[in-house]
Amino acid sequence: GLGAVLASVFGGGLLAACGGSDDNDDAANVSYEVKFSRVARGTADGVTVPEGYTAELLFAAGDAVAAGATAFAGTFLGSADTERFAGGNHDGMHFYALPGVDANRGGLLAINHEFPDFQILRAATPAYDPATATDEEKRVTLSSVGVSVIEVARSANGAWVVVAGSRYNKRYTGNTSFNVSGPAASVVGATVVGTLNNCASGTTPWGTYLTCEETTENYLDPTQPELGYGWVVEIDPRAELAGMPVKRTALGRFDHENT
């Protein structure tokens, strides 16, 4: 399944290699050698790939996520809209298969947004200052961090696209309310507003997504208690399990860079 997501970057041959068969003789003849020509050094603001490979844009900051959301199109929007489109600075992510769907044709992507992309949120000047920001300015900024869950599918021409209007498409942001569980719940409280600096990620054996907060303070809104941050957050990408999203305090509180 994950090979399908990477195919647009590593070339169509990846799927053939990963597909394989149950015949051991065939498997022994499969080559996993990666061959490509060297790309020239450059400073262009873009992705350069070797000849014979392609790089395609799947999901950008400001793209519509929730059904009926308005995507960023050059005009700054209010928090009611920014809360429903893609956050900034994509980071950790994981692909999830869907029941009854060929994972080489579609599934879900859970994607971290580590830091706000201010270019789609507000004018460059004055710069965002949490000490003087209005409540609305804070909500707009906090909407650009957290997690996006999107359904993706491979179209007839082989390109991967976001399935617009999918019931799975959802944002979890710096404004979302999160449950709290584990040994520190009695100190932190039953709920926390927001997740941010979402860096590392992982998946559980039962198919949920783990997003890790690389900060022990809400520097975008310092009025929020510090104890609410620095945790691992569990999210059900299919939105089927009760009690989620939830901050799992048993996994420790620190700046979760890659853990």
Side-chain angles (χ1 to χ4, degrees):
L2 182 58
V5 180
L6 299 176
S8 63
V9 176
F10 291 100
L14 180 64
L15 287 180
C18 291
S21 75
D22 293 331
D23 190 299
N24 289 334
D25 291 336
D26 290 343
N29 294 326
V30 173
S31 173
Y32 295 97
E33 183 178 3
V34 178
K35 297 180 179 179
F36 54 85
S37 57
R38 179 180 299 179
V39 299
R41 289 179 293 179
T43 58
D45 184 11
V47 178
T48 302
V49 295
E51 182 181 357
Y53 291 75
T54 60
E56 300 170 353
L57 177 62
L58 174 63
F59 188 56
D63 283 358
V65 175
T70 300
F72 176 73
T75 300
F76 298 123
L77 303 173
S79 60
D81 289 311
T82 61
E83 192 76 7
R84 292 156 56 82
F85 68 43
N89 294 282
H90 303 359
D91 207 306
M93 64 185 71
H94 195 82
F95 178 85
Y96 292 90
L98 283 172
V101 178
D102 180 354
N104 288 317
R105 304 300 304 178
L108 302 181
L109 275 180
I111 304 175
N112 285 352
H113 303 297
E114 185 169 3
F115 191 75
D117 189 336
F118 287 106
Q119 296 180 78
I120 64 171
L121 301 178
R122 56 183 290 131
T125 55
Y128 178 76
D129 183 351
T132 58
T134 65
D135 288 343
E136 171 65 1
E137 288 174 327
K138 289 179 181 178
R139 284 191 294 268
V140 167
T141 300
L142 288 163
S143 71
S144 193
V145 293
V147 172
S148 288
V149 176
I150 52 172
E151 183 177 359
V152 296
R154 199 175 191 191
S155 57
N157 66 2
W160 285 84
V161 297
V162 177
V163 179
S166 168
R167 67 184 180 90
Y168 297 107
N169 294 354
K170 187 176 178 64
R171 283 297 320 280
Y172 300 87
T173 76
N175 300 305
T176 302
S177 180
F178 293 84
N179 295 321
V180 181
S181 76
S186 60
V187 178
V188 177
T191 60
V192 168
V193 175
T195 183
L196 70 158
N197 257 56
N198 304 81
C199 186
S201 65
T203 189
T204 65
W206 47 93
T208 56
Y209 183 66
L210 300 177
T211 178
C212 303
E213 300 174 337
E214 195 192 344
T215 182
T216 52
E217 62 176 334
N218 190 335
Y219 56 86
L220 298 174
D221 182 6
T223 65
Q224 297 292 339
E226 288 188 1
L227 280 178
Y229 310 96
W231 305 107
V232 175
V233 183
E234 184 177 10
I235 292 171
D236 175 16
R238 300 175 188 86
E240 297 172 341
L241 303 178
M244 296 191 192
V246 58
K247 300 202 175 193
R248 299 294 189 187
T249 65
L251 297 177
R253 179 176 181 262
F254 53 91
D255 291 353
H256 292 269
E257 168 66 38
N258 286 311
T259 54

